[in-house]
Amino acid sequence: MRKKWKGSFTVEASFIMPIVLFLYLLIILSALFLYCRCAISQNNFLLAMRAARFTEGKEHYGEVIYGLENDTLWQPKQYVEERIERKRAFYPFFPTEEGECIVSKDCIFVQTRQRGSGKVIKKTSQKWNPVLMIRQWRKEQNA
């Protein structure tokens, strides 16, 4: 049998295989980066949603589920920042650099920065009290 081309398979493979392995590694690392970003985004949304449900002790909503009782008010900002610090300390695959909670009159903003990325992950939750909303709807229906 005669060969049409001259060359050695091992020499050609020594050029191709590192490229193929590098591409596999690149795909795996980008998938892990996107997974961490999704996990941080989900955590920010859940923290914003929980912090938005904090109420004054008079309204009797949100106290038992999400908060620790303070003298007069629940502290959503303290709760959110404490949870972000806890995640950073105990979850090695939760790479956040800094986290912040901003409480406004109508919304809760939670933002964190992922390590290795310059972008900030922001989530917002409206301050709604379902108990008061249901009471108001019932009053409108009965009127």
Side-chain angles (χ1 to χ4, degrees):
M1 223 178 178
R2 281 184 77 180
K3 295 182 182 179
K4 292 184 181 180
W5 297 290
K6 295 195 175 205
S8 176
F9 180 73
T10 56
V11 172
E12 293 165 359
S14 68
F15 292 120
I16 301 287
M17 285 308 291
I19 295 172
V20 170
L21 291 175
F22 176 74
L23 290 176
Y24 280 141
L25 183 65
L26 184 67
I27 290 169
I28 290 170
L29 288 177
S30 63
L32 286 174
F33 181 80
L34 288 175
Y35 171 76
C36 288
R37 188 161 181 84
C38 289
I40 292 169
S41 179
Q42 178 186 8
N43 186 56
N44 284 357
F45 176 73
L46 289 175
L47 285 174
M49 186 180 70
R50 289 176 184 167
R53 302 307 181 259
F54 279 20
T55 60
E56 293 184 14
K58 300 172 189 170
E59 295 179 19
H60 301 295
Y61 178 74
E63 298 94 352
V64 177
I65 300 171
Y66 300 122
L68 299 173
E69 188 171 358
N70 199 349
D71 294 338
T72 57
L73 297 173
W74 303 97
Q75 302 295 324
K77 184 173 182 172
Q78 178 185 357
Y79 171 81
V80 169
E81 290 175 356
E82 189 177 286
R83 291 293 175 169
I84 291 172
E85 287 297 320
R86 182 182 168 105
K87 283 269 191 181
R88 191 179 315 146
F90 293 113
Y91 293 90
F93 299 109
F94 194 78
T96 56
E97 288 183 347
E98 58 187 42
E100 183 181 14
C101 176
I102 302 168
V103 180
S104 72
K105 184 177 180 182
D106 299 330
C107 299
I108 301 284
F109 301 99
V110 177
Q111 59 185 18
T112 54
R113 184 175 314 236
Q114 184 178 8
R115 191 177 333 134
S117 174
K119 295 183 179 179
V120 175
I121 304 169
K122 301 176 184 178
K123 292 296 172 182
T124 305
S125 181
Q126 297 287 327
K127 286 186 178 179
W128 291 335
N129 189 338
V131 174
L132 294 177
M133 292 170 69
I134 291 170
R135 285 180 187 162
Q136 183 180 2
W137 179 79
R138 286 181 180 167
K139 283 180 185 178
E140 291 172 1
Q141 293 298 320
N142 291 333

